[in-house]
Amino acid sequence: MAENASTLGQFDFAGDDHVVPFQVEGLDVRGRAVQLGPLLDAILARHDYPTPVARLLAEAVVLTVLLGTSLKFEGKFTVQTKGDGPVDLLVADFSTPENVRAYARFDEEALAKAVAEGRTEPEQLLGKGVLAFTIDQGRFSQPYQGIVALDGASLEEIAGTYFRQSEQIPTRVRLGAAELFDRDENGKPRHRWRAGGLIAQFLPEAPERMRQPDLHGGDGDSGVRNHVEDDAWAEARSLVETIDADELTDPQVGTERLLYRLFHERGVRVYEPKAVYDRCSCSRDKLKGVLKGFTAEEIEASQDNGEIAVTCEFCSTTYRFEVSEIEVA
């Protein structure tokens, strides 16, 4: 190892596009943290998304990476929103052990109107709908899906509601995305996207310590709660909530530095970072298989001068097929 080389535990060792698992033994907390740079910038630049859309998709990618890297089996983890707002679809998926892709769909006219009227908060752009988490372990297993309403001011809040309702593990999620304006090595102006996030979960040995307050029951609920939050989790949650959004995305505040800022008084242990990559799962063979399921009428409607062109919505790669390659089902 070079004399000045960084080692695990030193500030900024992980760098961008690496998820850092961590543990705070004094608070019975485990989690993961990440800062995304080049990976995210490549995904967003590929479609040249308007700023409000790019920011939403960036946070969805961070959430997907934080949760997807926790999988202990081969499979795919997908985060997807469907709503009636100008941004009607966000989808990001993580294929184990390290591949990420993402895509957003939006109504240009509706988005332009929302921006002109100053309606650019996440809840205004996504509208009413659902956030779905899907785990797919392959063809020999049924996919598992958890769904929560798009009822919150941000993806961070909505994800928090999901964990409260479905996982029953005290969990705090923080997400952030930002545009970075600087200059490249030649002094030319440069625009980049960055995003970061952290998930912390309370996992004590005694399960009864994980009890959380009941969710509000709606109309007629008196709101009286007798539950007292565990002191360790209350402290951990409060510390996580002190994170400033800029800290999650600041290239000068590496992941280990942020974790140290939060938990140094309690002692935080970090583990080997896991790299993640901007890699799409599409292929010519996969798309050809899809086309072979088309009827003769569908093939005729899809072809242009004897050729069918298919563009992947995620990575924008265009595959071209001669009609003669496609066998009519």
Side-chain angles (χ1 to χ4, degrees), residues 2 5 10 36 45 55 78 89 105 111 125 136 155 158 180 189 191 207 209-211 237 251 254 256 272 275 288 290:
Q10 291 183 358
L36 299 180
R55 190 178 302 277
T78 303
L89 176 71
R105 186 177 65 202
L111 178 65
L125 295 176
D136 188 350
L155 284 178
I158 298 165
L180 180 65
H191 167 265
R209 293 179 59 199
M210 295 170 60
R211 271 193 72 198
R237 179 181 52 75
E256 296 94 341
E272 197 69 31
K288 187 174 182 180
V290 173

Side-chain angles (χ1 to χ4, degrees), residues 278-313:
D278 165 33
R279 291 176 182 159
C280 190
S281 59
C282 72
S283 71
R284 182 177 180 83
D285 286 343
K286 285 183 180 180
L287 291 174
K288 187 174 182 180
V290 173
L291 291 175
K292 283 188 174 183
F294 279 25
T295 64
E297 292 78 11
E298 289 172 328
I299 290 176
E300 177 61 29
S302 302
Q303 67 89 27
D304 183 17
N305 293 324
E307 182 181 78
I308 297 176
V310 181
T311 300
C312 175
E313 291 182 324

Side-chain angles (χ1 to χ4, degrees), residues 22 32-35 58-64 66-67 154-157 159-160 163 171-177 195-201 233 236-249 258 262-263:
F22 68 89
R32 292 172 299 283
V34 69
Q35 283 193 342
E59 292 190 358
V61 172
V62 174
L63 181 60
T64 303
L66 287 173
L67 300 179
S154 64
L155 284 178
E156 182 180 295
E157 286 190 15
F163 279 102
T171 301
R172 187 68 171 95
V173 178
R174 297 301 312 274
L175 305 172
L198 179 146
I199 180 170
Q201 295 188 302
W233 175 240
R237 179 181 52 75
S238 297
L239 289 171
V240 171
E241 289 171 357
T242 66
I243 299 174
D244 188 89
D246 292 341
E247 291 181 287
L248 292 170
T249 59
L258 176 59
L262 289 174
F263 302 117

Side-chain angles (χ1 to χ4, degrees), residues 170-223:
T171 301
R172 187 68 171 95
V173 178
R174 297 301 312 274
L175 305 172
E179 295 177 276
L180 180 65
F181 297 90
D182 59 6
R183 294 183 180 275
D184 63 18
E185 58 275 7
N186 298 316
K188 295 182 179 180
R190 177 175 56 179
H191 167 265
R192 292 181 290 164
W193 277 98
R194 293 183 61 79
L198 179 146
I199 180 170
Q201 295 188 302
F202 184 48
L203 295 165
E205 290 186 7
E208 63 270 17
R209 293 179 59 199
M210 295 170 60
R211 271 193 72 198
Q212 301 184 82
D214 294 334
L215 292 170
H216 195 281
D219 294 341
D221 190 333
S222 66

Side-chain angles (χ1 to χ4, degrees), residues 83-100:
D84 60 6
V87 184
D88 66 321
L89 176 71
L90 297 174
V91 57
D93 65 46
F94 179 88
S95 296
T96 58
E98 59 193 13
N99 299 335
V100 186

Side-chain angles (χ1 to χ4, degrees), residues 1 5-16 18 20 254-257 270-273:
M1 180 178 294
S6 296
T7 58
L8 183 63
Q10 291 183 358
F11 291 155
D12 308 324
F13 168 76
D16 288 343
H18 285 76
V20 178
T255 303
E256 296 94 341
R257 186 181 300 274
V270 297
Y271 298 92
E272 197 69 31

